[in-house]
Amino acid sequence: MDCIFCKIINGEIPKEFDYESDSLVVFPDINPSADLHLLIVPKKHIGGIRDIGENSGNLLAEVYQTVNQLVKDHNLSDNLYRVVLNGGKAQHVPHLHFHLLGGNWKRMV
Ligand code: DGP
């Protein structure tokens, strides 16, 4: 499958991960919209929010637990931060991912 995030996850495109578990990876957005702009990306190819199924509960819990850990690691809790999941025409990479934006941001992703 010609999916840029799958290529990053399987090592075809080399990328250092800020965090990796059995089910997800975290790496910086190539075009940051904020002081901190990380992508939280499930390893399994899920196209987008409309493809989240009834078995996705554990994955979504892990995504938000990871967000909480990243917020701690980057001392964001007293700062501005936001988690964004784009869908429809607002989504440009068709592999489910969550944006963690922290600090000052330049524009909405
Ligand atoms: P979205 O519009 O929600 O699909 O956001 C896709 C984001 O992915 C966008 O902010 C740019 C980022 N992105 C696209 N290609 C790459 C890449 O090859 N590497 C990294 N690190 N980020 C990418």
Side-chain angles (χ1 to χ4, degrees):
M1 190 187 303
D2 194 25
C3 168
I4 189 93
F5 285 177
C6 284
K7 286 181 181 169
I8 289 172
I9 289 159
N10 70 26
E12 221 176 303
I13 298 175
K15 172 82 68 191
E16 251 182 54
F17 298 136
D18 290 43
Y19 174 74
E20 179 173 12
S21 75
D22 286 347
S23 43
L24 59 81
V25 295
V26 176
F27 54 85
D29 194 289
I30 203 168
N31 183 22
S33 299
D35 293 340
L36 180 79
H37 187 166
L38 297 174
L39 299 174
I40 299 141
V41 187
K43 286 184 173 174
K44 183 177 172 201
H45 184 91
I46 299 169
I49 187 167
R50 76 180 82 170
D51 303 306
I52 291 175
E54 57 189 29
N55 297 324
S56 303
N58 288 345
L59 175 65
L60 294 178
E62 189 184 341
V63 166
Y64 285 101
Q65 283 159 3
T66 302
V67 166
N68 281 334
Q69 189 58 51
L70 293 166
V71 165
K72 274 190 203 149
D73 293 347
H74 293 275
N75 295 313
L76 288 176
S77 50
D78 292 331
N79 205 332
L80 299 168
Y81 70 92
R82 182 177 284 172
V83 180
V84 175
L85 166 55
N86 288 323
K89 289 185 179 167
Q91 182 185 2
H92 299 97
V93 175
H95 179 129
L96 182 69
H97 57 280
F98 299 76
H99 301 255
L100 172 61
L101 298 151
N104 295 316
W105 46 78
K106 302 170 198 153
R107 60 174 172 78
M108 283 291 292
V109 289

